């Protein structure tokens, strides 16, 4: 649970830092010429770099989110520039501002929840068509019926719900609420850095709009930060794809290789393997095999003693203990081995899958539910003088081979013979 919470917090952390940085910058009163010039070009610069980054990696959802935010920025920046230069707003400022307050949360929520499911070109055309239709209709109404549109937008439809604190048109609040609930539900179902960035970005937009004509450069700063959140989330997910195993959620082989290059002088490496996994897979199927791997990974991720688990490949996992001795690590490895051995896995029948979680829990707790259990073998090696991490890992792999030969379901240290593979409970006896 703690590790899951930490993972979710890591999803939000970059976006929250960008949001806080934007808030801090927006409240700075006296800016020198450098920052004034920077904030003037920053949104366009972020769009060009971030948009190019999203286009290269074919992330069209993120690209259109950034374009939507930039269009809102461009429309409002024209109004704020006129206000700063002339000390008064343009005649169309109110209707343009209200339209942005209505359409920005609507389009932001739409594009954020719209996942790529079709051919990329068709998907791009569909997104562009939606943006064009909304933009064309809004422009036509603004040009043809400005006063009627302004009255319709600014009308207070629900007096009982209107508060003195509301500085936007009443219609924009249900739009923001609907978009926020939609994106929160999306993150709850699929926790991802991108979905977290969308939520935080929507909050940034909601804070920004009422301050557009009040705080100088608020529009430039917050639009830039929201686009940066989206670009940073794309980079975060690219990193996860490269360094994190998709099936188990553990760091992958590449992450292990990088970690091994940064180990100190004292460390312990362990190799773990699921016993008889090929036979288990052939008997119960690959779906159950994947369930077993996720279980083992979940248990190994909770290793104590400062250890860190990695998916090495197939049914093999590696564990790294930095700054530890082998005597300090062995008890923690035994605890993990025992927890896997005693855990009963309830087999699921995909043809009779329950409709909700409550039915699933009742069915899994019933006497008719079939279950299996697995064991793991673990080999351990400690760094000695003039040994590289690769050599230590090779020694741990040899110790794993010895654990297999000792009857499996045991922990063996490098150099320990097969008769020395004594489990904790046997030693206690």
């Amino acid at each position: 649970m703690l590790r899951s919470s930490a993972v979710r917090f890591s999803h939000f952390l970059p976006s929250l830092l960008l949001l806080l940085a934007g808030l801090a910058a927006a409240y700075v009163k006296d800016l020198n010429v450098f920052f004034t010039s920077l904030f003037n070009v920053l949104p366009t610069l972020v769009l060009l770099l971030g948009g190019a980054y999203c286009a290269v990696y074919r992330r069209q959802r993120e690209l259109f989110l950034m374009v939507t935010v930039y269009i809102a920025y461009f429309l409002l920046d024209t109004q704020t520039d006129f206000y700063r230069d002339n000390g008064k707003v343009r005649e169309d400022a109110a209707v343009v501002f209200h339209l942005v307050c209505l359409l920005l949360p609507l389009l932001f929520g739409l594009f954020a929840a719209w996942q790529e499911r079709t051919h990329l070109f068709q998907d791009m055309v569909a997104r562009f068509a939606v943006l064009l239709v909304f933009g064309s209709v809004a422009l036509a109404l603004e040009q043809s019926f400005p006063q009627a549109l302004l009255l319709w937008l600014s009308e207070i439809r629900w007096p009982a719900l209107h508060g003195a604190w509301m500085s936007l048109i009443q219609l924009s609040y249900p739009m923001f609420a609907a978009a926020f609930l939609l994106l929160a539900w999306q993150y709850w179902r699929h926790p991802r850095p991108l979905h977290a960035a969308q939520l935080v970005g929507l909050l940034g937009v909601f804070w920004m709009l009422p301050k557009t004509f009040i705080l100088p450069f608020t529009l430039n700063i917050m639009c830039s930060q929201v686009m940066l959140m989206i670009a940073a989330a794309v980079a975060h997910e690219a990193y996860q794809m490269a360094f994190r195993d998709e099936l188990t959620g553990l760091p992958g082989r590449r992450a292990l290789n990088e970690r091994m290059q940064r180990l100190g002088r004292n460390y312990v490496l362990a190799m773990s393997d699921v016993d008889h996994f090929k036979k288990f897979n052939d008997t119960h199927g690959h779906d159950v095999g994947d369930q077993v791997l996720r279980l083992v990974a979940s248990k190994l991720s909770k290793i104590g003693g400062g250890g860190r688990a990695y998916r090495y490949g197939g049914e093999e996992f590696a564990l790294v203990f930095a700054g530890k001795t082998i005597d300090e690590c062995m008890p923690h490895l035994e605890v993990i081995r025992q927890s896997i051995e005693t855990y009963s896995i309830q087999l699921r029948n995909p043809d009779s899958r329950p409709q909700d979680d409550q039915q699933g829990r009742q069915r899994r707790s019933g006497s008719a539910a079939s279950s299996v259990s697995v064991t793991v073998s673990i080999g351990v090696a400690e760094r000695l003088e003039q040994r590289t991490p690769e050599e230590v890992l090779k020694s741990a792999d040899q110790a794993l081979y010895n654990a297999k030969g000792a009857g499996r379901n045991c922990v063996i240290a490098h150099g320990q013979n097969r008769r020395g593979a004594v489990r904790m409970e046997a030693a206690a006896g």
Side-chain angles (χ1 to χ4, degrees):
M1 180 65 68
L2 290 176
R3 190 173 294 269
S4 175
S5 299
V7 170
R8 289 175 182 264
F9 179 72
S10 71
H11 291 169
F12 284 94
L13 182 59
S15 299
L16 288 174
L17 290 176
L18 286 170
L19 178 64
L20 292 176
L23 293 175
Y27 280 104
V28 175
K29 294 182 178 179
D30 298 323
L31 294 172
N32 58 35
V33 177
F34 171 77
F35 285 105
T36 301
S37 303
L38 175 63
F39 291 150
N40 281 328
V41 300
L42 190 59
T44 303
L45 184 63
V46 172
L47 176 68
L48 291 176
L49 296 178
Y53 181 68
C54 293
V56 167
Y57 287 98
R58 300 181 179 182
R59 304 291 291 263
Q60 297 190 140
R61 173 164 54 158
E62 295 81 353
L63 176 60
F64 274 84
L65 274 174
M66 297 177 72
V67 169
T68 301
V69 173
Y70 187 81
I71 291 175
Y73 156 76
F74 178 80
L75 293 172
L76 295 180
D77 186 60
T78 303
Q79 303 291 338
T80 56
D81 282 345
F82 185 89
Y83 177 73
R84 281 196 295 265
D85 294 340
N86 299 277
K88 61 180 181 179
V89 297
R90 288 174 40 164
E91 293 182 0
D92 62 345
V95 66
V96 170
F97 180 74
H98 293 336
L99 276 173
V100 170
C101 293
L102 177 67
L103 295 180
L104 180 55
L106 172 63
L107 291 174
F108 192 95
L110 175 63
F111 286 134
W114 185 346
Q115 300 183 20
E116 297 92 340
R117 297 185 181 275
T118 59
H119 190 274
L120 286 175
F121 180 75
Q122 296 175 353
D123 184 80
M124 181 183 67
V125 171
R127 292 173 191 271
F128 181 77
V130 169
L131 195 60
L132 183 63
V133 167
F134 275 97
S136 300
V137 171
L139 179 62
L141 291 174
E142 191 273 332
Q143 292 293 319
S144 302
F145 313 101
Q147 291 302 320
L149 179 61
L150 179 60
L151 290 174
W152 184 82
L153 289 170
S154 58
E155 179 184 355
I156 299 178
R157 291 167 172 78
W158 310 286
L161 301 177
H162 192 75
W165 58 270
M166 293 183 175
S167 50
L168 303 177
I169 58 171
Q170 200 175 51
L171 282 175
S172 67
Y173 290 97
M175 286 296 176
F176 271 106
F180 184 84
L181 291 175
L182 176 63
L183 299 186
W185 177 75
Q186 179 180 243
Y187 180 81
W188 180 77
R189 289 192 61 201
H190 305 289
R192 291 173 50 186
L194 173 64
H195 296 162
Q198 292 169 349
L199 270 172
V200 179
L202 185 65
L203 291 177
V205 169
F206 181 72
W207 174 86
M208 171 196 74
L209 287 173
K211 306 292 191 299
T212 299
F213 291 94
I214 300 174
L215 295 177
F217 298 106
T218 297
L219 179 69
N220 307 56
I221 294 170
M222 193 53 64
C223 285
S224 301
Q225 297 300 85
V226 172
M227 291 188 287
L228 278 174
M229 292 176 197
I230 297 168
V234 174
H236 191 171
E237 293 193 348
Y239 175 87
Q240 284 191 333
M241 286 189 289
F243 289 91
R244 189 168 294 277
D245 177 62
E246 184 176 3
L247 175 65
T248 63
L250 291 178
R253 181 78 169 268
R254 185 175 296 179
L256 173 64
N257 292 338
E258 283 206 357
R259 182 70 181 93
M260 287 171 59
Q261 303 307 314
R262 295 182 280 108
L263 291 171
R265 299 182 61 183
N266 301 314
Y267 55 87
V268 173
L269 300 180
M271 289 293 294
S272 174
D273 183 274
V274 181
D275 297 327
H276 301 296
F277 185 72
K278 185 178 185 304
K279 181 180 179 181
F280 185 93
N281 235 4
D282 293 340
T283 303
H284 298 284
H286 292 286
D287 289 341
V288 179
D290 289 347
Q291 186 181 348
V292 166
L293 291 178
R294 284 192 288 267
L295 162 71
V296 173
S298 175
K299 295 293 185 181
L300 292 176
S301 69
K302 299 178 176 65
I303 185 74
R308 183 74 185 274
Y310 297 81
R311 173 85 182 276
Y312 192 78
E315 67 271 25
E316 286 188 309
F317 300 86
L319 297 115
V320 178
F321 297 85
K324 301 293 182 179
T325 65
I326 200 166
D327 291 335
E328 293 174 323
C329 299
M330 290 292 280
H332 299 288
L333 293 170
E334 274 291 344
V335 169
I336 287 296
R337 183 199 64 75
Q338 291 178 10
S339 69
I340 295 173
E341 177 188 26
T342 57
Y343 190 87
S344 180
I345 305 172
Q346 304 297 324
L347 297 181
R348 305 173 186 174
N349 183 357
D351 297 329
S352 60
R353 189 175 181 86
Q355 296 297 319
D356 54 52
D357 293 340
Q358 184 177 0
Q359 291 181 8
R361 286 192 294 269
Q362 293 175 351
R363 188 172 301 179
R364 287 192 294 271
S365 63
S367 59
S370 59
S371 62
V372 295
S373 60
V374 295
T375 60
V376 295
S377 300
I378 303 175
V380 196
E382 184 177 7
R383 180 196 180 271
L384 301 176
E385 293 295 331
Q386 306 300 323
R387 296 189 68 183
T388 66
E390 289 75 17
E391 291 174 330
V392 178
L393 193 66
K394 186 176 181 180
S395 297
D397 195 52
Q398 181 61 47
L400 173 62
Y401 177 79
N402 293 339
K404 294 286 188 182
R408 295 180 171 83
N409 190 24
C410 59
V411 182
I412 290 188
H414 178 65
Q416 182 182 11
N417 58 36
R418 296 183 181 183
R419 294 181 181 272
V422 181
R423 301 190 183 99
M424 293 288 284
E425 63 269 25

